[in-house]
Amino acid sequence: MCAFESNTLPQARAYYWKKVKMNSLNKINGSALKQDIERTADFGAVDCAEGRGRTVLPGTISNGQARSYLIERMTATGLETRIDAVGNISGRWSPPSADDDASPVVAGSHLDSVPEGGIFDGPLGVYAALESVRAIKDSDLTVTQPIEVVCFTGEEGTRFADGVLGSSVAAGNLSIQEALSLSDGNQTLEQALEHIGCKGHGRLDASNWKAWFELHVEQGKRLERKDVPVGIVSSITGTTRCHITFEGESNHAGTTPMTDRQDALTAASEFIVALESTAQNIATNESESAVATVGSLSVAPGATNVVPGSVELSVDIRDVDATVIERLIDTIEQTCNRIEQERNVNTEIERGYDVVPQPMTEQLSQRLRTAAQQCDIEPISLHSGAGHDTMKIAEVTDVGMLFARSRGGYSHSPRERTDWDDCTVATQVLATAIAETAGADLKQCAVDKGR
Ligand SMILES: [Zn+2]
């Protein structure tokens, strides 16, 4: 573990709620939240010069340690814990005032990470949910619905699946058997979960939940630029990926004249630049969340003295508007047709991955907004360019999502940072929304802000 000062950046201002109670919900215990996130950061910790990182792939020993610690903390909070067949963990609080059969209000996130990922991506959402339950329990509030804290298996897509594995099972998109038989080439998910003692029974069924909330780090710079600690997510972008092949003809780089070439790489290059230009145009004039990326390319035969005969590349397109994604796909087809004519090459497009854009539930977004205002924050509304478990849960029940400000926009890196004060205030917002959704009547305290 490298030495790392965790909260050295200046704060824009102290939130008023830190000094005065704004409503009848207790203050979030920021030190307990920090302690849980820092303890979780010890599992799979990686040494690095840039900051504090962790490598916690699903079903590994470090993942097992992070899970055990969570269960320990849930039990200490008095939650009834359960692990389902694919390793999703839930901790339930159903006080005497709640109807035990009523649909629970659920919040959480994930504990797995990418290789050398950050310490906030996932754990913040899990421990913010747990800390919310602690604050609600200790407040003089009456809730009518049970509240659950959930940690999903394999959100990041680094092992066994492309991502959102546990939440896909909870949403009914993937069967338990299909999930358990997924393999990383050496071990199936079932074997890995058994190995770390995290294979339970049954299925966490999100369609029974009254609502789902997730707090996550923003992983971008929008909140920092606006100097706001909390943002309310309006929607999660859809993603479409295509695999495109350009077939030309390999030939001698010295003896093939420039007028007589079928260069697959120059054709692919023209395509990439045209796609960037179209996406920039759309992002500037129509939908600012639209993005298109060519992130991988392979050239054959890949020799310095041979005109490239074949190129394979992948395109990743995202937007909150499905029609914009379709328009970008149309452009890709038209561009490929034009390049075929002009450069005497063949192209083939294979559309392999489609996740539709997922809007959040307006009523819950509004509740989060009001909760933020009660914490003396005017939150901004923003979309999520990354996928999250919430997009799966949105298919079966109402969802609300909020972001905490990231420092420098770094994520999936040890440089990922969110100030502890921002973690605490975002958790206060989350707790307020959870309490209200669970039927608590949060009375506003009369506060004279004097400013
Ligand atoms: Zn995450």
Side-chain angles (χ1 to χ4, degrees), residues 109-110 121-122 155-156 214 216 219 388:
S109 193
H110 60 96
D121 178 352
E155 191 273 345
E156 294 286 8
E214 182 172 11
H216 203 278
Q219 307 175 285
H388 296 287

Side-chain angles (χ1 to χ4, degrees), residues 326-373:
E326 289 312 317
R327 215 135 38 75
L328 274 159
I329 295 290
D330 288 347
T331 309
I332 284 175
E333 286 168 358
Q334 287 160 16
T335 308
C336 283
N337 287 339
R338 176 176 61 78
I339 291 173
E340 278 192 354
Q341 303 301 318
E342 292 175 4
R343 289 186 170 270
N344 197 18
V345 293
N346 288 319
T347 64
E348 206 173 293
I349 305 170
E350 197 183 306
R351 185 169 173 167
Y353 177 90
D354 265 312
V355 173
V356 294
Q358 203 58 256
M360 305 293 99
T361 309
E362 183 45 43
Q363 191 198 357
L364 296 188
S365 296
Q366 188 50 47
R367 186 162 287 154
L368 286 166
R369 199 167 294 120
T370 311
Q373 286 159 347

Side-chain angles (χ1 to χ4, degrees), residues 224-255:
E224 191 173 53
R225 284 196 184 120
K226 299 262 182 193
D227 195 20
V228 185
V230 174
I232 313 298
V233 177
S234 51
S235 59
I236 299 177
T237 60
T239 304
T240 293
R241 292 189 187 136
C242 298
H243 185 87
I244 306 182
T245 312
F246 292 81
E247 287 292 347
E249 195 173 81
S250 322
N251 214 333
H252 197 292
T255 59

Side-chain angles (χ1 to χ4, degrees), residues 69-329:
Y69 179 71
L70 173 63
I71 290 170
E72 198 181 294
R73 298 298 290 145
M74 284 175 160
T75 308
T77 310
L79 308 190
E80 190 188 316
T81 62
R82 181 192 147 190
I83 306 177
D84 82 357
V86 297
N88 291 323
I89 299 171
S90 66
R92 178 181 171 90
W93 178 55
S94 184
S97 62
D99 173 0
D100 202 36
D101 294 328
S103 304
V105 176
V106 188
S109 193
H110 60 96
L111 289 178
D112 65 307
S113 80
V114 296
E116 302 198 2
I119 69 167
F120 296 93
D121 178 352
L124 172 62
V126 173
Y127 285 101
L130 184 60
E131 190 50 44
S132 295
V133 175
R134 285 194 208 117
I136 296 166
K137 271 186 89 174
D138 294 344
S139 303
D140 189 18
L141 294 171
T142 304
V143 299
T144 53
Q145 321 272 141
I147 300 175
E148 291 185 19
V149 176
V150 161
C151 161
F152 286 119
T153 296
E155 191 273 345
E156 294 286 8
T158 50
R159 198 180 175 204
F160 305 119
D162 285 341
V164 294
L165 204 172
S167 51
S168 294
V169 175
N173 282 165
L174 185 69
S175 75
I176 291 174
Q177 220 32 61
E178 281 170 321
L180 290 177
S181 59
L182 291 167
S183 171
D184 69 350
N186 290 313
Q187 207 176 27
T188 62
L189 174 66
E190 182 165 28
Q191 289 164 338
L193 289 174
E194 274 167 357
H195 185 62
I196 59 167
C198 285
K199 164 123 179 33
H201 302 282
R203 180 175 78 92
L204 212 60
D205 184 354
S207 68
N208 289 333
W209 300 347
K210 180 178 186 191
W212 159 260
F213 288 103
E214 182 172 11
L215 164 60
H216 203 278
V217 285
E218 185 203 343
Q219 307 175 285
K221 296 182 186 172
R222 291 165 296 176
L223 292 172
E224 191 173 53
R225 284 196 184 120
K226 299 262 182 193
D227 195 20
V228 185
V230 174
I232 313 298
V233 177
S234 51
S235 59
I236 299 177
T237 60
T239 304
T240 293
R241 292 189 187 136
C242 298
H243 185 87
I244 306 182
T245 312
F246 292 81
E247 287 292 347
E249 195 173 81
S250 322
N251 214 333
H252 197 292
T255 59
T256 315
M258 296 308 290
T259 49
D260 195 20
R261 293 184 173 212
Q262 290 171 264
D263 186 330
L265 182 55
T266 49
S269 306
E270 189 175 331
F271 167 82
I272 295 167
V273 174
L275 176 65
E276 182 193 45
S277 158
T278 308
Q280 266 170 353
N281 228 329
I282 290 178
T284 308
N285 300 312
E286 294 169 60
S287 179
E288 61 174 8
S289 51
V291 286
T293 309
V294 175
S296 88
L297 185 100
S298 87
V299 183
T304 310
N305 58 354
V306 182
V307 176
S310 170
V311 169
E312 290 184 23
L313 59 80
S314 67
V315 183
D316 177 297
I317 294 171
R318 303 182 192 217
D319 196 37
V320 294
D321 184 343
T323 60
V324 169
I325 293 179
E326 289 312 317
R327 215 135 38 75
L328 274 159
I329 295 290

